[in-house]
Amino acid sequence: NDIKSFTIDPECSIKYHSSKIHHLYDRDVRGCPKFRDIIDKIIKDVPFRSTFVAHNTEADMRLIYIECLRLEKEGYQKPVQWFNSLKTVDTLKIAKHALPNLERKNLTSVSEYLSVTVKKEDEHTAYGDVLSLARVWIKMANNHYTFPKDIFQISLNSINKRKIDLDMGISTKQTGFNF
C-alpha cells in the first residue's frame, strides 16, 4: 500500500482559521509544488473513474474542481476530464444517515464515536484524515450500518452542480489545500 501525500503551495497566504485547524502555515508550503506541478502525478495515482472518498466531499471536490478549471483556462483539458470521471463517497452523508443520534458529524466526532484513532501528530493532516476515513469506512461497513442509496455519486453531483464562479476567489489559495 503506497501512500502518497503532497503539500501544495497555494501561492498566497493561508488564512489563520485554516492554519489553526490543519496546523499548516505559510512557512510549511513555501517552495512546495503547485497544483499544476503535481496534477499529472495525481491523475496517474488516482486514475480516471476512480472513487474519491472524503468526509464532506463537497468541500474537497469544490477546491479540486476550481483548480482543474484554472488549468483548463490555461489550455490543459485533462484535469477537468479526469475530475468529471470521478465518483465520490461522502462519509459525512453516511454518518448523517447511519448515526442519526450522534450530535456532531465531523470526522473527529465520528472517529471518536467509532473508537477510531490516529497518532496525535497526524490529526488534521491529509495523511491522518485519510487514515481516519479508511478506518471509519471499514468500521461502518463491518458494523453493517445502512448506507444511503445514493452513496456513490458523480463528482459534479457532490458539489450540487453549482456554477463555480472563479471570480469568487474560492480556491486552494485560501485554504492551503493539502493532498
Side-chain angles (χ1 to χ4, degrees):
N1 295 323
D2 191 19
I3 297 174
K4 294 182 180 156
S5 179
F6 302 97
T7 300
I8 298 172
D9 180 350
E11 302 179 72
C12 71
S13 292
I14 299 171
K15 289 192 173 192
Y16 176 77
H17 72 275
S18 291
S19 290
K20 291 293 283 181
I21 293 169
H22 300 287
H23 310 290
L24 191 64
Y25 299 88
D26 291 339
R27 67 179 177 273
D28 300 321
V29 299
R30 198 170 292 118
C32 291
K34 294 164 182 56
F35 186 80
R36 73 176 48 78
D37 299 330
I38 64 161
I39 187 60
D40 287 326
K41 289 178 189 174
I42 293 169
I43 291 171
K44 181 179 176 234
D45 291 335
V46 183
F48 280 73
R49 294 174 295 286
S50 291
T51 301
F52 183 89
V53 180
H55 199 78
N56 190 5
T57 54
E58 184 170 339
D60 292 339
M61 296 306 282
R62 183 175 176 82
L63 291 172
I64 294 168
Y65 187 56
I66 288 169
E67 292 305 314
C68 288
L69 284 177
R70 288 182 196 286
L71 290 175
E72 183 179 59
K73 285 187 173 274
E74 295 174 12
Y76 189 32
Q77 303 296 315
K78 191 174 182 181
V80 170
Q81 293 167 356
W82 165 78
F83 179 89
N84 288 332
S85 79
L86 299 176
K87 292 188 178 202
T88 61
V89 172
D90 190 341
T91 56
L92 175 62
K93 283 187 177 182
I94 295 168
K96 286 178 180 178
H97 184 82
L99 307 170
N101 297 328
L102 185 62
E103 186 176 328
R104 298 188 69 214
K105 307 288 193 297
N106 61 37
L107 183 58
T108 300
S109 297
V110 172
S111 295
E112 287 172 1
Y113 179 81
L114 296 173
S115 301
V116 167
T117 60
V118 295
K119 294 177 186 173
K120 186 73 174 160
E121 64 267 18
D122 291 331
E123 290 177 357
H124 300 295
T125 65
Y127 175 76
D129 285 355
V130 167
L131 287 178
S132 292
L133 272 170
R135 292 171 182 166
V136 161
W137 175 256
I138 289 166
K139 279 224 173 175
M140 290 179 122
N142 287 341
N143 289 323
H144 307 290
Y145 286 102
T146 57
F147 295 157
K149 291 178 184 175
D150 64 343
I151 187 171
F152 292 99
Q153 295 182 331
I154 301 301
S155 57
L156 283 177
N157 286 342
S158 74
I159 57 174
N160 298 324
K161 292 188 178 178
R162 287 187 219 164
K163 179 182 176 289
I164 303 216
D165 184 350
L166 295 178
D167 295 333
M168 288 172 33
I170 299 172
S171 72
T172 61
K173 292 179 172 69
Q174 290 183 326
T175 63
F177 188 67
N178 196 8
F179 262 100

